[in-house]
Amino acid sequence: MTMASDADLANLVDSELARPWWAAASPQLRHLYNKRRTLHRRRDARFSMWAAVVIYVLFLGLDAVLLPDVAGLTLFVRVGLGLLALATVEGMWRLRVDAERFDAVCAGIVVVCYLGWLGVAISSAQALSVSYYMIFGTIFVMVACLFFNFKPRTANTASILMVLAFFAAIFSLTTVSIPYVMAFGTFYVSCFALNAYVNMKLNIERYNVFLNALKAEIREDEVLQRSRELFRLSNTDPLTGLENRRSIDEKLRHLWNDWKTHGAPFSAILIDIDFFKSYNDYYGHQEGDRCLLRVGETLAGTIKPYGASLGRYGGEEFIVLARVANTDELDALAELIRLAVVTLALPHQHRRDGEDVVTASVGASLTRPQNGAKLERLINEADRALYAAKASGRNCVRLFDPGDPQGNDDSENIAALLRIAVAQDLVSLAYQPIQNVATGRMDAAEALMRLRMLDGTSVPPSVFIPIAERTGAILELGRWAVRTVCREILCDDRIPVVSVNVSAVQLRAPGFSASIAAILGETNVEGNRLAFEITEGLELEINSGVLRCIAELKQLGIRIWLDDFGTGFAGLSWLRLIDFDTVKIDRSFLADCATPQGAAMMQDIIALVRNRSKQILVEGVEHPWQLALMREYRIDQIQGYLIGRPTSPEKIRPPTLRRPEGRTALRSA
């Protein structure tokens, strides 16, 4: 059913449930009801007939006591009619006779069985016994009305025939008096009326049960369709319609696990549109969006024969995941992708390299056996190959070469640097403001670690943090960060709360909470001035040790925040197991709010977090319309370049209160 037909059917069901019982039923719903009950009616009638025949034959014992002179004949009639009834029902079952005819024949069998017994009973010489024994005829009326699931018309027809047969039989007995006839006749009629009424009520209730079940099915179908749509939106880039980074990361993990388990190699290919910023500046953002859309469509058609996956991995960056056997196949596919973008011939007159069409640089990496192989390394290798393609003049393909000295992993050098980073004063902290949406005041700041090499070159956190976690250097860096935050910011009460990112390695390390308690005592800072951010995307197994560590930190007064909510798959489990003080919604959801689908997704996430009574912080507020939207959504706190960029501890200052932007700003975005 479509959503429209579901809505119409739901309205029809509501109207049907509200109508008086005596009003005419909806033909459409009655037809659907009868259609669904067909198999059940046939099966129920078959089972009921078997049970009724057994009971019918068991009454032979009473025949022998009350009608001994015709007991042999009643034995013949009961057994014969019973076997005939079962044979008839089984024959109809195998011939798949429709439910209406099945019920009608079963009702006829009940009448015939009653008449057969009644005919033999009144021939007995025990007239007085017969006159009293006939009271059991009401059982046949009950069977027709209640034992089977006959419709009222079928049940009433069979019952009336048996009541008439009773009167005909009782008048044939010369020994009964008028009072007897009146008493037993009234009893028969009363039984018929009562059973007919109960049968009618049961049929009404069955119909109402069907209507309520149908209504529940419709609602379940609507919820299922909405959940599928939400899942699709959460895994789809709103501009190009391609898979987004979340979806690609999931497929990347599946391919990686398949490679680790079964040895099936695959490649990661990164495609970056050359000079896209100048394209946007020269042609405008709308043309830039059209360019991304055209490139995405072309790439999708190019890789389709290879069964590869395509997604938008960043602003002007796309990623292809493809199963290839060797570097020759990878090089051919990457070159085909590059040529496909050039063949589009989209004008780009504002380039600085002499080209006049849109081109792309392509970097690729292939899985290979290596010590300590990690999924992140494959993407890092493709990224380095992409930078090599850009450094080579763009509009070219570069494959990651593990034997190239220029392409070697610098992790060993960085690991050595991290061992002396604290002693040589190579690490520092930058602070980014966190603003209260309602008051405009700076509620908190996030401490962001920075690392520079001996020559002053900066090392991105995305590079040195994973190395620090792998080597264990993160433990010393973490303690240094907490101690520095307390001394630089918290001791002078300049900012109420400062948050520090906490690694999974730290939470698992024995004595982590004790070391934090020691730092708080050493710096004379209260624990509630400090917040620890746990990233949802971390490969962190929630075990008893981790939960105990978090509980100990909370006992110190330290606030526990869930960072980057929505980027991983553990967030809902964490919300259930850990009492977070604040949930930070990942910046990607705010960026998607420029579209109705993205805004709806953001509202769904906000509602989910609010239902857990958590404070909400949204990252990535960079435009006035986003600030206005956060006010509209009643978000507690925000963070982003519009509020303040990361800065040194000396320059961190509360941001100026910004006036709410109107809906015009939101629409213009």
Side-chain angles (χ1 to χ4, degrees):
M1 297 180 186
T2 63
M3 287 299 292
S5 64
D6 274 351
D8 293 340
L9 189 57
N11 292 333
L12 186 60
V13 170
D14 287 336
S15 300
E16 189 74 355
L17 286 169
R19 72 172 178 84
W21 66 269
W22 62 82
S26 164
Q28 180 183 351
L29 292 176
R30 270 292 176 184
H31 174 73
L32 185 58
Y33 171 65
N34 291 330
K35 184 178 179 180
R36 290 198 178 186
R37 286 198 63 223
T38 294
L39 179 61
H40 299 292
R41 286 172 60 190
R42 295 175 66 251
R43 186 178 59 222
D44 291 347
R46 182 191 185 201
F47 175 80
S48 298
M49 182 55 71
W50 273 88
V53 167
V54 171
I55 296 171
Y56 182 66
V57 173
L58 288 177
F59 264 88
L60 281 170
L62 199 57
D63 289 346
V65 174
L66 298 178
L67 309 175
D69 55 330
V70 293
L73 187 55
T74 58
L75 170 64
F76 174 77
V77 169
R78 286 184 185 273
V79 174
L81 290 178
L83 293 175
L84 182 60
L86 295 179
T88 303
V89 167
E90 290 302 312
M92 290 191 299
W93 177 264
R94 284 166 176 73
L95 293 174
R96 300 184 182 277
V97 173
D98 64 88
E100 291 293 336
R101 188 181 301 178
F102 208 103
D103 280 354
V105 172
C106 288
I109 290 173
V110 173
V111 174
V112 169
C113 288
Y114 175 68
L115 294 177
W117 167 77
L118 187 61
V120 175
I122 61 176
S123 67
S124 172
Q126 308 292 328
L128 184 59
S129 296
V130 172
S131 65
Y132 287 109
Y133 195 16
M134 288 174 65
I135 192 67
F136 287 98
T138 55
I139 293 177
F140 289 89
V141 175
M142 189 180 301
V143 167
C145 291
L146 305 180
F147 203 72
F148 289 84
N149 292 327
F150 294 151
K151 290 183 176 179
R153 181 178 58 187
T154 303
N156 292 342
T157 300
S159 298
I160 290 171
L161 290 174
M162 288 186 286
V163 170
L164 293 176
F166 163 75
F167 279 107
I170 203 169
F171 280 117
S172 69
L173 297 175
T174 58
T175 58
V176 298
S177 62
I178 296 299
Y180 176 90
V181 173
M182 292 178 62
F184 275 71
T186 302
F187 180 73
Y188 255 83
V189 172
S190 299
C191 284
F192 161 68
L194 179 61
N195 284 288
Y197 175 76
V198 173
N199 175 262
M200 179 189 69
K201 294 291 288 183
L202 285 174
N203 275 276
I204 291 174
E205 286 305 313
R206 291 189 192 103
Y207 184 55
N208 287 337
V209 168
F210 157 75
L211 293 177
N212 283 294
L214 181 60
K215 187 175 181 179
E217 288 177 14
I218 295 171
R219 287 180 177 173
E220 183 179 358
D221 188 51
E222 290 174 349
V223 171
L224 183 61
Q225 290 191 43
R226 178 160 177 76
S227 65
R228 286 173 178 168
E229 181 64 15
L230 287 173
F231 179 78
R232 187 190 67 80
L233 289 174
S234 69
N235 289 279
T236 303
D237 175 61
L239 174 62
T240 63
L242 301 175
E243 296 182 58
N244 61 12
R245 186 164 188 157
R246 181 196 309 275
S247 178
I248 285 294
D249 284 345
E250 183 179 0
K251 287 193 174 180
L252 193 57
R253 280 192 291 271
H254 289 162
L255 287 170
W256 181 263
N257 291 334
D258 197 30
W259 176 67
K260 296 288 287 184
T261 305
H262 306 291
F266 73 97
S267 65
I269 306 173
L270 293 176
I271 307 106
D272 190 86
I273 300 176
D274 298 325
F275 300 108
F276 186 72
K277 184 179 184 301
S278 63
Y279 186 96
N280 259 339
D281 294 341
Y282 185 73
Y283 293 101
H285 288 280
Q286 288 187 341
E287 284 300 321
D289 289 346
R290 291 192 187 97
C291 173
L292 292 173
L293 187 59
R294 290 285 304 279
V295 170
E297 291 173 347
T298 299
L299 294 178
T302 302
I303 67 168
K304 187 176 181 180
Y306 296 86
S309 298
L310 170 66
R312 186 181 175 197
Y313 214 53
E316 68 271 21
E317 190 171 85
F318 297 85
I319 184 171
V320 171
L321 304 177
R323 294 187 182 276
V324 292
N326 49 55
T327 54
D328 291 337
E329 290 185 11
L330 176 57
D331 187 44
L333 177 57
E335 180 63 21
L336 188 63
I337 288 172
R338 186 195 68 81
L339 287 174
V341 178
V342 175
T343 307
L344 266 176
L346 295 175
H348 191 348
Q349 304 292 339
H350 206 60
R351 296 176 59 137
R352 300 188 299 271
D353 61 349
E355 294 282 352
D356 59 358
V357 295
V358 171
T359 61
S361 300
V362 182
S365 179
L366 180 67
T367 51
R368 68 186 189 281
Q370 54 183 317
N371 293 329
K374 287 187 176 181
L375 174 59
E376 294 79 5
R377 182 176 293 181
L378 178 70
I379 298 298
N380 183 259
E381 290 173 353
D383 199 44
R384 277 190 276 175
L386 177 61
Y387 279 116
K390 290 181 178 181
S392 301
R394 293 181 169 83
N395 190 25
C396 61
V397 171
R398 290 292 181 268
L399 306 186
F400 177 78
D401 182 5
D404 184 358
Q406 299 299 322
N408 281 337
D409 195 342
D410 295 325
S411 62
E412 293 302 319
N413 294 332
I414 295 176
L417 184 70
L418 289 171
R419 285 193 289 270
I420 63 171
V422 173
Q424 296 290 329
D425 201 24
L426 299 176
V427 285
S428 60
L429 293 177
Y431 298 88
Q432 186 172 20
I434 296 172
Q435 187 184 76
N436 186 297
V437 177
T439 65
R441 292 192 300 269
M442 182 193 293
D443 274 356
E446 180 181 6
L448 302 170
M449 189 175 293
R450 300 291 184 255
L451 174 68
R452 59 183 177 84
M453 304 186 77
L454 293 172
D455 61 358
T457 305
S458 296
V459 182
S462 59
V463 174
F464 74 82
I465 292 297
I467 298 173
E469 291 179 345
R470 188 180 75 237
T471 60
I474 194 68
L475 297 175
E476 182 185 3
L477 290 174
R479 289 190 293 270
W480 171 87
V482 173
R483 184 177 289 106
T484 303
V485 164
C486 292
R487 289 175 174 172
E488 287 184 342
I489 303 294
L490 298 180
C491 281
D492 62 3
D493 294 331
R494 197 185 333 164
I495 298 174
V497 176
V498 176
S499 68
V500 179
N501 289 279
V502 174
S503 164
V505 177
Q506 294 168 272
L507 292 174
R508 285 194 292 253
F512 174 67
S513 57
S515 67
I516 299 301
I519 293 172
L520 292 175
E522 169 191 331
T523 58
N524 197 28
V525 171
E526 294 181 1
N528 60 7
R529 304 279 308 285
L530 196 62
F532 284 168
E533 298 190 23
I534 303 174
T535 302
E536 180 192 345
L538 290 177
E539 296 179 358
L540 176 61
E541 179 185 354
I542 302 181
N543 54 38
S544 58
V546 170
L547 293 176
R548 183 169 54 253
C549 178
I550 292 174
E552 291 169 353
L553 292 172
K554 290 184 75 69
Q555 286 179 354
L556 295 173
I558 295 173
R559 311 175 191 211
I560 305 298
W561 294 4
L562 177 59
D563 193 16
D564 294 336
F565 181 71
T567 59
F569 297 92
L572 293 179
S573 298
W574 288 21
L575 282 177
R576 180 171 58 85
L577 293 174
I578 301 175
D579 185 22
F580 290 100
D581 299 287
T582 296
V583 174
K584 295 180 70 173
I585 298 177
D586 186 67
R587 66 182 62 241
S588 61
F589 292 99
L590 180 58
D592 290 343
C593 282
T595 65
Q597 297 92 339
M601 173 62 72
M602 172 66 89
Q603 288 177 301
D604 288 338
I605 293 174
I606 291 170
L608 173 64
V609 177
R610 281 210 175 107
N611 286 339
R612 301 294 298 175
S613 301
K614 308 300 180 187
Q615 192 170 25
I616 300 175
L617 191 159
V618 176
E619 302 173 293
V621 178
E622 299 177 358
H623 304 286
W625 70 266
Q626 293 176 328
L627 176 59
L629 188 64
M630 294 301 94
R631 285 193 170 104
E632 179 183 338
Y633 288 172
R634 295 182 294 108
I635 297 301
D636 302 300
Q637 296 174 324
I638 52 176
Q639 181 181 10
Y641 288 170
L642 185 66
I643 308 305
R645 293 176 177 268
T647 187
S648 63
E650 297 80 16
K651 296 180 180 179
I652 186 72
R653 288 290 182 271
T656 303
L657 177 62
R658 299 180 180 273
R659 297 181 61 185
E661 299 292 331
R663 297 299 295 174
T664 303
L666 181 59
R667 288 193 295 270
S668 66

